[in-house]
Amino acid sequence: DSLNEIRSDLKNQIDTSVDQVNAIARQINELNQQISKVESQGYLPNDLYDKRDLLVDQLSQFANVKVTQVPSGGESPDIAEGRYTVEIVTNTGDKVTLVDGENFKANQMEVSYDADGMVDHFSIDGKQIPGSAISGKLQGLTEAFNKDYPDMLDSLNQLAYAFTQEFNKVHQQGYGLDGKNGYQFFNPLDGPDGAALNISVSDDIVNHPDHIAASGNGDSGDGANAQHLAGVMTGKMTIDGKETSLKAFYGDLIGKMAVNAQEANRMADN
């Protein structure tokens, strides 16, 4: 459930970020109209300039932007900043107009998901921006949603599957308090897919705790197999085609998650 919550939270962040981009675009467009009226009468609305620049700074956190000044006309002073046309600049250098300063229009950004629920593309005024081409915070969120999360889930599934397989193998070699062996501690899994979500202790163990195979020879005072079970965490095994240990594999997974999080923050900051 926690994994599904992470995925749901990432999607909510993407949707909310798109809403914020649109809200900022509308505010810039409104300021363009106010600024144009004041400038055309020969005045400089410095307070409105500051508000608009602050909004552009906020917008630039979500994606790379390019600002082009459009003269207001009339009796505008030579140093008037004019209206802003704001374009979203993709990683491939393409530009899509978000705020049209020439025509006083704020175009709306939308996000589309494919059949698998992944971000397919963003669009502005009918022009598509592939999910892989968006920049800034939206890029970080999209990569986390489309790639980092699925990769993390796949690794956790591989980990869970390898763990249940090895733990059951060692457990079957030991003896419970009933003097018998061959019991599986976890319910068998068909494969890695969904393993992290479906891992569960077998009913045989839940209903009969005396079947827990702590003994290595069947003696009630022997705990040799309990030590072997504890050693599963550090013992060598193959996980996702790699020779490693559960502890090392999990450590690498956590490290990659930290690096991905830092990269996502860097994209937002830049």
Side-chain angles (χ1 to χ4, degrees), residues 31-190:
L31 285 170
N32 273 344
Q33 296 177 47
Q34 296 173 35
I35 288 170
S36 182
K37 289 180 181 179
V38 175
E39 287 182 341
S40 62
Q41 296 174 11
Y43 300 101
L44 295 174
N46 292 314
D47 56 334
L48 298 181
Y49 291 159
D50 291 341
K51 290 180 180 179
R52 187 175 60 181
D53 287 341
L54 179 60
L55 289 170
V56 171
D57 286 342
Q58 293 174 1
L59 183 62
S60 67
Q61 295 179 10
F62 293 98
N64 292 336
V65 300
K66 179 184 178 182
V67 174
T68 303
Q69 294 176 318
V70 179
S72 294
E75 299 179 7
S76 299
D78 292 339
I79 59 173
E81 294 186 5
R83 297 165 268 172
Y84 278 2
T85 287
V86 183
E87 297 172 299
I88 298 296
V89 183
T90 71
N91 290 335
T92 57
D94 294 326
K95 302 179 185 67
V96 182
T97 301
L98 181 67
V99 179
D100 183 351
E102 185 73 37
N103 299 298
F104 296 115
K105 181 182 179 183
N107 296 316
Q108 296 294 284
M109 174 182 282
E110 297 179 348
V111 57
S112 298
Y113 299 88
D114 62 21
D116 295 323
M118 301 296 186
V119 174
D120 183 70
H121 65 271
F122 297 87
S123 60
I124 301 174
D125 195 27
K127 298 178 181 178
Q128 293 187 6
I129 303 174
S132 58
I134 200 70
S135 53
K137 181 180 180 180
L138 284 172
Q139 179 186 7
L141 289 172
T142 300
E143 289 187 356
F145 186 75
N146 280 6
K147 184 179 185 302
D148 297 340
Y149 172 84
D151 287 351
M152 178 188 70
L153 183 57
D154 180 65
S155 293
L156 286 174
N157 283 332
Q158 295 287 347
L159 180 70
Y161 181 68
F163 172 67
T164 56
Q165 292 288 98
E166 187 66 19
F167 199 90
N168 277 344
K169 176 182 175 182
V170 175
H171 192 266
Q172 287 178 300
Q173 295 172 359
Y175 295 82
L177 292 175
D178 62 349
K180 298 180 181 179
N181 67 352
Y183 298 120
Q184 294 196 97
F185 189 88
F186 294 104
N187 288 314
L189 296 168
D190 295 332

